[in-house]
Protein backbone atom coordinates (compact mmCIF):
# COMPACT_ATOMS: atom_id res chain seq x y z
CA UNK A 1 0.00 0.00 0.00
CA UNK A 2 1.36 3.42 -0.89
CA UNK A 3 1.64 5.98 1.94
CA UNK A 4 -1.00 8.14 0.26
CA UNK A 5 -3.68 5.47 0.03
CA UNK A 6 -3.37 4.47 3.71
CA UNK A 7 -4.59 7.95 4.64
CA UNK A 8 -7.69 7.75 2.44
CA UNK A 9 -10.57 7.26 4.82
CA UNK A 10 -13.31 4.99 3.62
CA UNK A 11 -16.70 6.69 3.70
CA UNK A 12 -18.80 5.42 6.61
CA UNK A 13 -21.57 7.80 7.59
CA UNK A 14 -23.57 6.69 10.65
CA UNK A 15 -27.17 5.57 10.26
CA UNK A 16 -29.05 8.43 11.91
CA UNK A 17 -32.69 8.88 12.67
CA UNK A 18 -33.28 12.20 10.90
CA UNK A 19 -35.86 14.18 12.88
CA UNK A 20 -34.77 17.67 12.02
CA UNK A 21 -35.88 20.18 9.35
CA UNK A 22 -34.58 17.94 6.53
CA UNK A 23 -33.06 15.85 5.15
CA UNK A 24 -35.38 13.08 6.32
CA UNK A 25 -34.67 9.35 6.24
CA UNK A 26 -34.50 7.64 2.87
CA UNK A 27 -36.50 4.56 1.86
CA UNK A 28 -34.33 1.59 0.74
CA UNK A 29 -36.04 1.63 -2.67
CA UNK A 30 -34.83 5.21 -3.19
CA UNK A 31 -31.27 4.21 -2.27
CA UNK A 32 -31.46 1.36 -4.77
CA UNK A 33 -32.71 3.73 -7.47
CA UNK A 34 -29.67 5.95 -6.86
CA UNK A 35 -27.36 3.03 -7.56
CA UNK A 36 -28.90 2.06 -10.89
CA UNK A 37 -27.05 2.30 -14.19
CA UNK A 38 -26.59 5.79 -15.51
CA UNK A 39 -27.75 6.21 -19.13
CA UNK A 40 -27.44 9.22 -21.41
CA UNK A 41 -29.69 12.19 -20.68
CA UNK A 42 -31.28 11.85 -24.14
CA UNK A 43 -31.55 8.04 -23.98
CA UNK A 44 -35.13 6.98 -24.78
CA UNK A 45 -35.21 5.12 -21.45
CA UNK A 46 -34.34 8.30 -19.57
CA UNK A 47 -36.83 10.39 -21.55
CA UNK A 48 -39.53 7.93 -20.43
CA UNK A 49 -38.34 8.37 -16.83
CA UNK A 50 -38.73 12.16 -17.25
CA UNK A 51 -42.25 11.75 -18.61
CA UNK A 52 -43.21 9.65 -15.60
CA UNK A 53 -41.61 12.13 -13.19
CA UNK A 54 -43.69 14.94 -14.70
CA UNK A 55 -46.85 12.86 -14.50
CA UNK A 56 -46.18 11.92 -10.86
CA UNK A 57 -45.25 15.47 -9.87
CA UNK A 58 -48.55 16.70 -11.36
CA UNK A 59 -50.43 14.16 -9.25
CA UNK A 60 -48.72 15.22 -6.02
CA UNK A 61 -49.02 18.96 -6.83
CA UNK A 62 -52.65 18.27 -7.86
CA UNK A 63 -52.25 20.22 -11.07
CA UNK A 64 -52.66 19.96 -14.82
CA UNK A 65 -49.84 22.46 -15.45
CA UNK A 66 -47.76 21.40 -18.47
CA UNK A 67 -44.75 23.20 -16.92
CA UNK A 68 -44.10 20.79 -14.06
CA UNK A 69 -40.51 19.59 -13.69
CA UNK A 70 -37.70 18.71 -11.30
CA UNK A 71 -35.20 21.58 -11.33
CA UNK A 72 -31.53 20.55 -11.01
CA UNK A 73 -30.59 21.89 -7.60
CA UNK A 74 -32.02 21.97 -4.07
CA UNK A 75 -35.20 23.72 -2.92
CA UNK A 76 -33.49 27.09 -3.15
CA UNK A 77 -32.90 26.49 -6.88
CA UNK A 78 -36.66 25.97 -7.19
CA UNK A 79 -37.23 29.29 -5.43
CA UNK A 80 -34.73 31.05 -7.65
CA UNK A 81 -36.23 29.47 -10.80
CA UNK A 82 -39.75 30.58 -9.90
CA UNK A 83 -38.70 34.12 -9.04
CA UNK A 84 -36.10 34.95 -11.70
CA UNK A 85 -38.35 33.78 -14.51
CA UNK A 86 -41.38 35.74 -13.34
CA UNK A 87 -39.96 38.94 -11.91
CA UNK A 88 -38.95 41.92 -14.01
CA UNK A 89 -37.04 44.97 -12.90
CA UNK A 90 -39.23 47.71 -11.45
CA UNK A 91 -42.11 45.43 -10.49
CA UNK A 92 -43.64 45.26 -7.00
CA UNK A 93 -44.35 42.15 -4.96
CA UNK A 94 -46.11 41.58 -1.64
CA UNK A 95 -44.25 39.07 0.52
CA UNK A 96 -45.35 37.39 3.74
CA UNK A 97 -42.56 37.87 6.24
CA UNK A 98 -42.95 35.64 9.29
CA UNK A 99 -39.80 33.53 9.24
CA UNK A 100 -36.55 32.77 7.45
CA UNK A 101 -37.93 31.63 4.12
CA UNK A 102 -40.13 34.66 3.42
CA UNK A 103 -37.01 36.76 4.01
CA UNK A 104 -35.14 34.68 1.44
CA UNK A 105 -37.84 35.24 -1.17
CA UNK A 106 -37.69 38.98 -0.64
CA UNK A 107 -33.91 38.90 -0.93
CA UNK A 108 -34.15 37.26 -4.35
CA UNK A 109 -36.88 39.70 -5.45
CA UNK A 110 -34.78 42.72 -4.42
CA UNK A 111 -31.73 41.36 -6.22
CA UNK A 112 -33.83 41.20 -9.39
CA UNK A 113 -34.44 44.94 -9.08
CA UNK A 114 -38.06 44.69 -7.94
CA UNK A 115 -39.66 46.26 -4.86
CA UNK A 116 -40.81 44.20 -1.88
CA UNK A 117 -43.85 45.17 0.19
CA UNK A 118 -43.53 42.99 3.27
CA UNK A 119 -46.44 41.83 5.41
CA UNK A 120 -44.51 41.56 8.67
CA UNK A 121 -45.70 39.25 11.41
CA UNK A 122 -44.18 37.82 14.55
CA UNK A 123 -42.29 34.60 13.91
CA UNK A 124 -44.61 31.64 14.34
CA UNK A 125 -47.72 33.57 13.25
CA UNK A 126 -49.53 33.13 9.96
CA UNK A 127 -50.57 35.80 7.44
CA UNK A 128 -54.34 36.38 7.44
CA UNK A 129 -56.66 36.98 4.50
CA UNK A 130 -57.44 40.47 5.88
CA UNK A 131 -53.74 41.34 6.00
CA UNK A 132 -53.32 40.28 2.38
CA UNK A 133 -56.40 42.30 1.40
CA UNK A 134 -55.00 45.39 3.10
CA UNK A 135 -51.57 44.95 1.48
CA UNK A 136 -53.20 44.71 -1.96
CA UNK A 137 -55.17 47.90 -1.28
CA UNK A 138 -52.06 49.70 -0.01
CA UNK A 139 -49.97 48.57 -2.98
CA UNK A 140 -52.33 48.35 -5.97
CA UNK A 141 -49.51 48.19 -8.52
CA UNK A 142 -48.21 44.88 -7.16
CA UNK A 143 -47.67 42.09 -9.67
CA UNK A 144 -47.80 39.20 -7.22
CA UNK A 145 -47.99 37.76 -3.73
CA UNK A 146 -45.39 35.39 -2.24
CA UNK A 147 -46.14 33.16 0.75
CA UNK A 148 -44.47 30.23 2.49
CA UNK A 149 -46.91 27.33 2.96
CA UNK A 150 -44.82 25.53 5.56
CA UNK A 151 -42.45 27.91 7.35
CA UNK A 152 -39.78 25.45 8.47
CA UNK A 153 -38.03 28.01 10.67
CA UNK A 154 -41.09 28.41 12.92
CA UNK A 155 -43.46 25.49 12.26
CA UNK A 156 -46.32 27.75 11.08
CA UNK A 157 -48.83 26.28 8.61
CA UNK A 158 -50.02 29.04 6.26
CA UNK A 159 -53.60 28.70 4.92
CA UNK A 160 -53.66 29.35 1.15
CA UNK A 161 -57.06 28.54 -0.31
CA UNK A 162 -58.98 31.79 0.35
CA UNK A 163 -55.91 33.91 -0.30
CA UNK A 164 -55.51 32.13 -3.64
CA UNK A 165 -59.04 33.06 -4.61
CA UNK A 166 -58.32 36.69 -3.73
CA UNK A 167 -55.11 36.86 -5.80
CA UNK A 168 -57.03 35.39 -8.73
CA UNK A 169 -59.76 38.07 -8.44
CA UNK A 170 -57.15 40.84 -8.24
CA UNK A 171 -55.10 39.39 -11.09
CA UNK A 172 -51.99 38.91 -8.95
CA UNK A 173 -49.52 36.08 -9.44
CA UNK A 174 -49.57 33.76 -6.44
CA UNK A 175 -46.10 32.31 -5.71
CA UNK A 176 -45.81 29.67 -2.99
CA UNK A 177 -42.87 28.01 -1.22
CA UNK A 178 -44.04 24.45 -0.51
CA UNK A 179 -40.59 23.01 0.16
CA UNK A 180 -41.64 21.39 3.44
CA UNK A 181 -45.36 20.76 2.83
CA UNK A 182 -45.12 18.97 -0.55
CA UNK A 183 -46.09 15.29 -0.11
CA UNK A 184 -46.71 15.81 3.61
CA UNK A 185 -49.80 18.03 3.80
CA UNK A 186 -52.63 19.03 1.49
CA UNK A 187 -51.45 21.24 -1.37
CA UNK A 188 -53.77 21.88 -4.33
CA UNK A 189 -52.10 24.00 -6.97
CA UNK A 190 -55.06 24.29 -9.36
CA UNK A 191 -57.90 24.49 -6.82
CA UNK A 192 -56.05 27.09 -4.76
CA UNK A 193 -55.12 29.23 -7.82
CA UNK A 194 -51.37 29.00 -7.21
CA UNK A 195 -49.33 30.28 -10.19
CA UNK A 196 -45.87 29.12 -9.19
CA UNK A 197 -44.87 26.61 -6.56
CA UNK A 198 -41.57 24.96 -5.68
CA UNK A 199 -40.39 22.28 -3.32
CA UNK A 200 -37.30 20.21 -2.49
CA UNK A 201 -36.62 16.50 -2.40
CA UNK A 202 -35.24 16.05 1.14
CA UNK A 203 -38.25 17.01 3.22
CA UNK A 204 -41.52 15.03 3.03
CA UNK A 205 -40.51 13.34 -0.23
CA UNK A 206 -37.68 11.55 1.63
CA UNK A 207 -35.16 11.68 -1.18
CA UNK A 208 -31.61 13.01 -0.82
CA UNK A 209 -31.32 16.78 -1.40
CA UNK A 210 -30.59 17.71 -5.00
CA UNK A 211 -33.76 18.40 -7.00
CA UNK A 212 -36.55 20.95 -6.75
CA UNK A 213 -40.05 20.02 -7.90
CA UNK A 214 -41.48 23.11 -9.65
CA UNK A 215 -44.77 23.93 -11.32
CA UNK A 216 -45.98 27.07 -13.11
CA UNK A 217 -49.52 27.79 -14.30
CA UNK A 218 -50.18 28.55 -17.99
CA UNK A 219 -50.83 32.15 -16.93
CA UNK A 220 -47.41 32.32 -15.24
CA UNK A 221 -45.69 30.76 -18.27
CA UNK A 222 -47.37 33.32 -20.51
CA UNK A 223 -45.76 36.03 -18.41
CA UNK A 224 -42.38 34.25 -18.64
CA UNK A 225 -42.65 34.01 -22.44
CA UNK A 226 -43.72 37.62 -22.91
CA UNK A 227 -41.13 39.33 -20.73
CA UNK A 228 -39.77 42.69 -21.81
CA UNK A 229 -36.29 41.84 -20.53
CA UNK A 230 -34.32 38.59 -20.86
CA UNK A 231 -34.43 36.18 -17.91
CA UNK A 232 -31.58 37.04 -15.55
CA UNK A 233 -30.35 33.45 -15.31
CA UNK A 234 -29.25 31.23 -18.16
CA UNK A 235 -29.12 28.01 -16.12
CA UNK A 236 -32.64 28.44 -14.68
CA UNK A 237 -34.25 29.93 -17.83
CA UNK A 238 -37.52 27.99 -17.99
CA UNK A 239 -38.03 28.69 -21.70
CA UNK A 240 -34.75 26.89 -22.41
CA UNK A 241 -35.38 24.16 -19.84
CA UNK A 242 -38.83 23.60 -21.34
CA UNK A 243 -37.17 22.80 -24.67
CA UNK A 244 -35.57 19.82 -22.90
CA UNK A 245 -38.58 18.62 -20.85
CA UNK A 246 -41.40 19.18 -23.35
CA UNK A 247 -42.34 16.10 -25.33
CA UNK A 248 -41.28 16.31 -28.96
CA UNK A 249 -38.54 18.90 -28.25
CA UNK A 250 -35.81 17.34 -26.09
CA UNK A 251 -33.10 19.85 -26.91
CA UNK A 252 -29.95 19.71 -24.79
CA UNK A 253 -29.72 22.50 -22.25
CA UNK A 254 -27.81 21.03 -19.30
CA UNK A 255 -27.19 17.41 -18.37
CA UNK A 256 -29.98 16.23 -16.09
CA UNK A 257 -28.68 14.74 -12.80
CA UNK A 258 -29.64 11.23 -13.92
CA UNK A 259 -29.31 9.39 -10.60
CA UNK A 260 -31.21 12.02 -8.63
CA UNK A 261 -34.01 11.82 -11.17
CA UNK A 262 -34.10 8.03 -10.66
CA UNK A 263 -34.41 8.74 -6.94
CA UNK A 264 -37.29 11.20 -7.29
CA UNK A 265 -39.00 8.84 -9.73
CA UNK A 266 -38.98 6.15 -7.02
CA UNK A 267 -39.81 8.50 -4.12
CA UNK A 268 -42.86 9.79 -6.02
CA UNK A 269 -43.96 6.20 -6.67
CA UNK A 270 -43.80 5.55 -2.91
CA UNK A 271 -45.97 8.63 -2.27
CA UNK A 272 -48.59 7.58 -4.82
CA UNK A 273 -48.60 3.94 -3.67
CA UNK A 274 -49.36 5.11 -0.16
CA UNK A 275 -52.00 7.58 -1.40
CA UNK A 276 -51.94 11.31 -0.76
CA UNK A 277 -54.76 11.34 1.81
CA UNK A 278 -53.28 8.41 3.71
CA UNK A 279 -49.87 10.05 3.72
CA UNK A 280 -51.23 13.36 5.03
CA UNK A 281 -53.20 11.48 7.72
CA UNK A 282 -50.05 9.59 8.77
CA UNK A 283 -48.19 12.89 9.19
CA UNK A 284 -51.09 14.32 11.24
CA UNK A 285 -51.34 11.27 13.51
CA UNK A 286 -47.63 11.03 14.27
CA UNK A 287 -47.50 14.75 14.99
CA UNK A 288 -50.47 14.47 17.33
CA UNK A 289 -48.78 11.64 19.23
CA UNK A 290 -45.49 13.56 19.42
CA UNK A 291 -47.22 16.67 20.75
CA UNK A 292 -49.18 14.63 23.34
CA UNK A 293 -45.98 12.99 24.49
CA UNK A 294 -44.08 16.28 24.77
CA UNK A 295 -46.93 17.96 26.62
CA UNK A 296 -47.19 15.06 29.06
CA UNK A 297 -43.48 15.60 29.78
CA UNK A 298 -44.18 19.23 30.64
CA UNK A 299 -43.13 20.87 27.36
CA UNK A 300 -45.28 23.28 25.42
CA UNK A 301 -45.39 23.82 21.68
CA UNK A 302 -44.16 27.26 20.62
CA UNK A 303 -47.27 27.71 18.45
CA UNK A 304 -50.23 27.25 20.78
CA UNK A 305 -53.01 27.02 18.15
CA UNK A 306 -52.79 23.43 16.84
CA UNK A 307 -54.59 24.39 13.62
CA UNK A 308 -51.73 26.75 12.72
CA UNK A 309 -48.99 24.20 13.38
CA UNK A 310 -47.33 22.00 10.79
CA UNK A 311 -47.65 18.22 11.14
CA UNK A 312 -44.18 17.52 9.71
CA UNK A 313 -42.21 20.05 11.76
CA UNK A 314 -43.06 20.28 15.44
CA UNK A 315 -41.75 23.42 17.17
CA UNK A 316 -41.37 22.98 20.93
CA UNK A 317 -40.23 25.65 23.41
CA UNK A 318 -37.10 24.86 25.38
CA UNK A 319 -37.85 25.57 29.05
CA UNK A 320 -35.49 27.64 31.16
CA UNK A 321 -32.73 25.45 32.63
CA UNK A 322 -32.58 22.87 29.83
CA UNK A 323 -29.30 23.15 27.93
CA UNK A 324 -30.30 23.21 24.25
CA UNK A 325 -27.02 22.21 22.61
CA UNK A 326 -26.13 19.57 25.23
CA UNK A 327 -29.48 17.79 24.83
CA UNK A 328 -29.15 17.73 21.04
CA UNK A 329 -25.56 16.51 21.32
CA UNK A 330 -26.57 13.62 23.59
CA UNK A 331 -29.52 12.68 21.40
CA UNK A 332 -27.13 12.48 18.47
CA UNK A 333 -24.24 10.72 20.20
CA UNK A 334 -26.16 8.29 22.39
CA UNK A 335 -29.25 7.63 20.29
CA UNK A 336 -28.27 8.62 16.73
CA UNK A 337 -31.20 11.03 16.63
CA UNK A 338 -30.91 14.39 14.89
CA UNK A 339 -33.42 17.13 15.75
CA UNK A 340 -33.36 20.73 14.57
CA UNK A 341 -32.14 23.71 16.56
CA UNK A 342 -33.94 27.05 16.45
CA UNK A 343 -33.02 29.30 13.51
CA UNK A 344 -32.36 33.04 13.67
CA UNK A 345 -34.60 34.71 16.26
CA UNK A 346 -35.51 31.26 17.64
CA UNK A 347 -31.94 30.11 18.24
CA UNK A 348 -31.73 28.49 21.70
CA UNK A 349 -35.47 29.02 22.22
CA UNK A 350 -37.06 26.11 20.34
CA UNK A 351 -36.33 22.66 18.99
CA UNK A 352 -37.75 21.74 15.62
CA UNK A 353 -38.70 18.09 15.65
CA UNK A 354 -39.19 16.86 12.11
CA UNK A 355 -41.55 14.03 11.24
CA UNK A 356 -41.16 14.13 7.47
CA UNK A 357 -41.84 11.35 5.00
CA UNK A 358 -39.98 8.18 6.02
CA UNK A 359 -39.11 9.76 9.37
CA UNK A 360 -42.80 10.14 10.27
CA UNK A 361 -43.41 6.78 11.94
CA UNK A 362 -44.90 5.59 15.20
CA UNK A 363 -41.73 3.78 16.27
CA UNK A 364 -39.69 6.96 15.76
CA UNK A 365 -42.07 9.03 17.88
CA UNK A 366 -41.91 6.51 20.74
CA UNK A 367 -38.14 6.06 20.48
CA UNK A 368 -37.55 9.81 20.46
CA UNK A 369 -39.71 10.44 23.54
CA UNK A 370 -37.94 7.65 25.46
CA UNK A 371 -34.53 8.96 24.36
CA UNK A 372 -35.40 12.52 25.41
CA UNK A 373 -36.57 11.27 28.81
CA UNK A 374 -33.31 9.40 29.29
CA UNK A 375 -31.18 12.40 28.30
CA UNK A 376 -33.06 14.77 30.60
CA UNK A 377 -32.75 12.34 33.52
CA UNK A 378 -29.02 11.83 32.84
CA UNK A 379 -28.58 15.60 32.90
CA UNK A 380 -30.41 15.68 36.27
CA UNK A 381 -32.97 18.16 34.97
CA UNK A 382 -35.68 18.71 37.59
CA UNK A 383 -39.08 17.36 36.60
CA UNK A 384 -40.97 14.15 35.89
CA UNK A 385 -40.43 13.21 32.26
CA UNK A 386 -41.83 9.70 32.49
CA UNK A 387 -45.26 10.33 30.93
CA UNK A 388 -44.22 10.92 27.29
CA UNK A 389 -44.28 7.43 25.84
CA UNK A 390 -47.59 6.42 27.38
CA UNK A 391 -49.28 9.69 26.33
CA UNK A 392 -48.13 9.10 22.75
CA UNK A 393 -49.23 5.47 22.88
CA UNK A 394 -52.70 6.46 23.98
CA UNK A 395 -53.04 8.63 20.85
CA UNK A 396 -52.20 5.58 18.73
CA UNK A 397 -54.60 3.29 20.57
CA UNK A 398 -57.54 5.72 20.63
C1 LIG B 1 -35.48 23.72 3.28
C2 LIG B 1 -36.29 24.88 2.81
C3 LIG B 1 -35.91 25.69 1.72
C4 LIG B 1 -34.56 25.57 1.05
O1 LIG B 1 -34.33 24.36 0.50
P1 LIG B 1 -32.82 23.85 0.24
O2 LIG B 1 -33.08 22.47 -0.25
O3 LIG B 1 -32.14 23.90 1.55
O4 LIG B 1 -32.21 24.71 -0.78
C5 LIG B 1 -36.75 26.68 1.30
N1 LIG B 1 -37.93 26.90 1.91
C6 LIG B 1 -38.34 26.16 2.97
C7 LIG B 1 -39.66 26.45 3.59
C8 LIG B 1 -37.53 25.14 3.44
O5 LIG B 1 -37.92 24.42 4.50
Amino acid sequence: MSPASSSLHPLSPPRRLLMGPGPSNIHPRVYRALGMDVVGHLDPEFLAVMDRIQDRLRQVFQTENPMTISVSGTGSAGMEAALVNLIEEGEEYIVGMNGVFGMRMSEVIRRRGATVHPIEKEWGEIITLEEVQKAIEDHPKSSGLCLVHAETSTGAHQPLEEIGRLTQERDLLFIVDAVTSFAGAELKIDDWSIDACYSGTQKCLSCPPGLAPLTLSPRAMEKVRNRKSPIDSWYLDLTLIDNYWAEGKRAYHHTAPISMNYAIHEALALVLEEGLEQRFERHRLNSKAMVSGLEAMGFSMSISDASQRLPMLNPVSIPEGIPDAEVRKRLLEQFNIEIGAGLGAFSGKIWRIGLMGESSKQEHVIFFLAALESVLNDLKIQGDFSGGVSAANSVYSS
Side-chain angles (χ1 to χ4, degrees), residues 74-76 101 104 148 150-152 177 179-180 202-203:
T74 65
S76 305
F101 294 101
R104 284 198 180 172
V148 179
E151 188 32 277
T152 321
D177 174 330
V179 175
T180 287
Q202 76 274 25
K203 316 258 170 143

Side-chain angles (χ1 to χ4, degrees), residues 237-250:
D237 182 331
L238 286 176
T239 62
L240 301 177
I241 291 174
D242 189 45
N243 286 340
Y244 175 47
W245 281 86
E247 248 188 289
K249 295 193 181 166
R250 307 299 190 186

Side-chain angles (χ1 to χ4, degrees), residues 83 85-95 109 113-117 135-136 138-146 166-175 193 195-196 217 219-220 223 227-228:
L83 296 175
N85 280 276
L86 284 169
I87 291 168
E88 293 204 70
E89 202 175 330
E91 285 187 327
E92 300 174 30
Y93 285 83
I94 300 166
V95 183
I109 296 168
T115 302
V116 172
H117 300 301
I136 297 174
D138 290 350
H139 308 289
K141 283 193 280 184
S142 300
S143 303
L145 167 72
C146 304
L166 179 66
T167 57
Q168 181 89 341
E169 283 166 16
R170 306 295 174 90
D171 204 25
L172 288 176
L173 284 172
F174 191 20
I175 304 172
S193 309
D195 290 293
S217 69
R219 173 167 99 124
K223 178 159 197 250
R227 291 171 60 101
K228 292 183 222 65

Side-chain angles (χ1 to χ4, degrees), residues 71-242:
V71 175
S72 307
T74 65
S76 305
M79 170 180 71
E80 194 110 14
L83 296 175
V84 299
N85 280 276
L86 284 169
I87 291 168
E88 293 204 70
E89 202 175 330
E91 285 187 327
E92 300 174 30
Y93 285 83
I94 300 166
V95 183
M97 214 89 99
N98 53 352
V100 165
F101 294 101
M103 286 161 61
R104 284 198 180 172
M105 284 172 120
S106 32
E107 178 65 20
V108 177
I109 296 168
R110 285 201 193 95
R111 288 188 187 201
R112 301 268 76 92
T115 302
V116 172
H117 300 301
I119 304 177
E120 290 190 62
K121 292 297 292 278
E122 290 289 319
W123 279 38
E125 292 183 1
I126 56 162
I127 314 286
T128 65
L129 179 66
E130 292 70 32
E131 287 158 350
V132 172
Q133 244 154 359
K134 180 167 185 313
I136 297 174
E137 274 151 32
D138 290 350
H139 308 289
K141 283 193 280 184
S142 300
S143 303
L145 167 72
C146 304
L147 290 179
V148 179
H149 189 206
E151 188 32 277
T152 321
S153 63
T154 67
H157 194 169
Q158 174 65 47
L160 299 175
E161 187 169 6
E162 290 184 310
I163 293 175
R165 218 172 290 135
L166 179 66
T167 57
Q168 181 89 341
E169 283 166 16
R170 306 295 174 90
D171 204 25
L172 288 176
L173 284 172
F174 191 20
I175 304 172
V176 171
D177 174 330
V179 175
T180 287
S181 53
F182 182 78
E186 190 132 85
L187 171 67
K188 297 184 168 181
I189 300 305
D190 292 357
D191 284 359
W192 296 354
S193 309
I194 297 170
D195 290 293
C197 186
Y198 55 88
S199 186
T201 38
Q202 76 274 25
K203 316 258 170 143
C204 290
L205 205 47
S206 280
C207 221
L211 293 176
L214 174 72
T215 189
L216 269 77
S217 69
R219 173 167 99 124
M221 280 311 291
E222 200 180 298
K223 178 159 197 250
V224 173
R225 294 207 168 90
N226 294 306
R227 291 171 60 101
K228 292 183 222 65
S229 54
I231 295 159
D232 286 316
S233 166
W234 180 87
Y235 191 69
L236 296 173
D237 182 331
L238 286 176
T239 62
L240 301 177
I241 291 174
D242 189 45

